Amino acid sequence: MNQAEGRIDGATVRADFNAINTVLHYTRAAHFIGLWKSELALIRQYFPDPAARLLEAGCGAGRVAVGLWHQGYRHITAFDFASELVEQAENLAKEHGITGLTFLHADATELVGALALKRPVWAVAGNCSYPEQAFDGALFMFNGLMQIPGRENRRTAMRELHRVCRPGASFIFTTHDREDPKDLAEWAKEAARWASGEQNPRLLEFGDRYFTDETGNTFMHLPDRREVLEDMVAAGWTHVHDRTRNELASETPKVRNFSDNCRFWVARK
Ligand SMILES: C[S@@+](CC[C@H](N)C(=O)[O-])C[C@H]1O[C@@H](n2cnc3c(N)ncnc32)[C@H](O)[C@@H]1O
């Protein structure tokens, strides 16, 4: 393993998301796929009031934030640590004639300071002690939380989101499911590789994957259920509910081609 190919860290993932093919992939999704039925159903269930002040982490090219705007949600602050994607999100909002969405360039693991730099209109008007406890809820959709390498870093992001949400706020995020029966044989082989030290040396933890396809490089941690529940508790969140996407809605072929089934988790502060 040479220096250029050291352990995967946040900088690796950020560079991968800023790479041209990846930017195109998420920009196309934002333009042509939009909100999934499952996302909308769950967001409407936990945030029935469209005046809810929502913070979207890992917004990419604006697929969810712009979709929610068209569903009537007007107090959305969305951020991503890949500047190229934030630029695409801003362009998409402009193209849709949206002026009230706040997009920020920020890292979920160092959130509070970054948010303090730009107060959205509602925070200025409400004179609230932004960003601490300023939000009614947080979203980290399409597995973005699991693209943070290192369990402690994922917990830090969950703590940061907890810190900027008010008591009683809901947090919705998604993950893949390492215990999916169809993948158990593959994970057993991967466990054997870790036991003999033959895993990809760039990975940090069992459950990590790093692969390359036509959309670029992807880092993804696949957790088991126990791990997600423990991390929620460590970050101050209480587990409310979890369901797979297939249980929540029947998605269009376009959505299913774009992305695998995943598990939606809902937690409360
Ligand atoms: C799978 S993409 C999803 C993008 C968008 N939410 C969507 O559904 O199209 C995950 C996103 O999380 C972002 N991300 C990963 N780690 C992050 C971090 N530490 N802070 C902020 N954004 C992060 C990536 O840059 C990427 O845009």
Side-chain angles (χ1 to χ4, degrees):
M1 183 168 66
N2 63 38
Q3 200 50 37
E5 292 224 319
R7 285 266 160 92
I8 290 156
D9 60 11
T12 320
V13 175
R14 185 197 302 246
D16 288 343
F17 273 110
N18 274 325
I20 181 73
N21 281 356
T22 307
V23 172
L24 282 173
H25 179 68
Y26 287 101
T27 301
R28 273 195 210 107
H31 282 252
F32 304 119
I33 294 182
L35 262 187
W36 305 345
K37 287 187 211 167
S38 49
E39 291 171 330
L40 182 59
L42 211 54
I43 291 167
R44 277 213 179 117
Q45 181 181 344
Y46 285 91
F47 304 105
D49 180 358
R53 298 158 305 170
L54 298 178
L55 179 65
E56 195 209 346
C59 64
R63 184 181 66 79
V64 172
V66 168
L68 287 177
W69 177 276
H70 288 303
Q71 294 298 326
Y73 291 87
R74 288 291 181 268
H75 296 142
I76 306 167
T77 300
F79 73 90
D80 202 286
F81 77 164
S83 55
E84 299 289 336
L85 286 170
V86 176
E87 206 180 307
Q88 293 300 328
E90 283 168 341
N91 290 342
L92 179 67
K94 233 179 263 163
E95 235 177 71
H96 285 232
I98 299 170
T99 51
L101 261 176
T102 306
F103 288 106
L104 297 172
H105 181 217
D107 187 325
T109 62
E110 300 169 55
L111 189 54
V112 174
L115 283 188
L117 294 175
K118 190 170 174 188
R119 287 154 63 98
V121 174
W122 55 261
V124 177
N127 197 25
C128 70
S129 59
Y130 182 83
E132 304 279 339
Q133 306 199 357
F135 293 94
D136 298 313
L139 310 170
F140 213 146
M141 308 311 280
F142 195 18
N143 312 325
L145 179 64
M146 294 296 130
Q147 302 200 271
I148 300 176
R151 187 174 187 182
E152 204 35 59
N153 296 326
R154 290 188 290 278
R155 285 186 174 185
T156 299
M158 290 170 95
R159 280 193 198 100
E160 288 283 89
L161 293 169
H162 185 269
R163 194 138 71 100
V164 299
C165 282
R166 66 160 171 80
S170 297
F171 173 32
I172 303 179
F173 62 98
T174 71
T175 70
H176 284 294
D177 193 347
R178 199 167 77 221
E179 290 155 319
D180 187 329
K182 75 174 169 27
D183 299 327
L184 288 180
E186 270 314 308
W187 283 112
K189 284 187 207 156
E190 177 70 353
R193 284 192 284 271
W194 276 83
S196 59
E198 286 163 17
Q199 76 278 9
N200 177 347
R202 302 199 66 193
L203 303 181
L204 285 82
E205 294 156 339
F206 180 64
D208 289 351
R209 292 187 64 209
Y210 190 60
F211 58 91
T212 302
D213 59 19
E214 66 287 353
T215 67
N217 300 328
T218 301
F219 170 84
M220 184 66 71
H221 179 73
L222 287 88
D224 62 14
R225 180 175 190 79
R226 194 173 84 168
E227 179 184 329
V228 178
L229 294 174
E230 284 175 0
D231 289 354
M232 276 184 194
V233 172
W237 294 100
T238 302
H239 174 247
V240 175
H241 166 102
D242 62 273
R243 300 252 283 286
T244 63
R245 185 173 78 182
N246 290 348
E247 289 167 330
L248 282 168
S250 169
E251 298 290 354
T252 60
K254 215 164 45 171
V255 171
R256 282 187 273 120
N257 285 339
F258 173 67
S259 58
D260 295 340
N261 193 19
C262 59
R263 182 168 292 278
F264 282 80
W265 300 87
V266 182
R268 178 160 300 130
K269 175 165 175 174

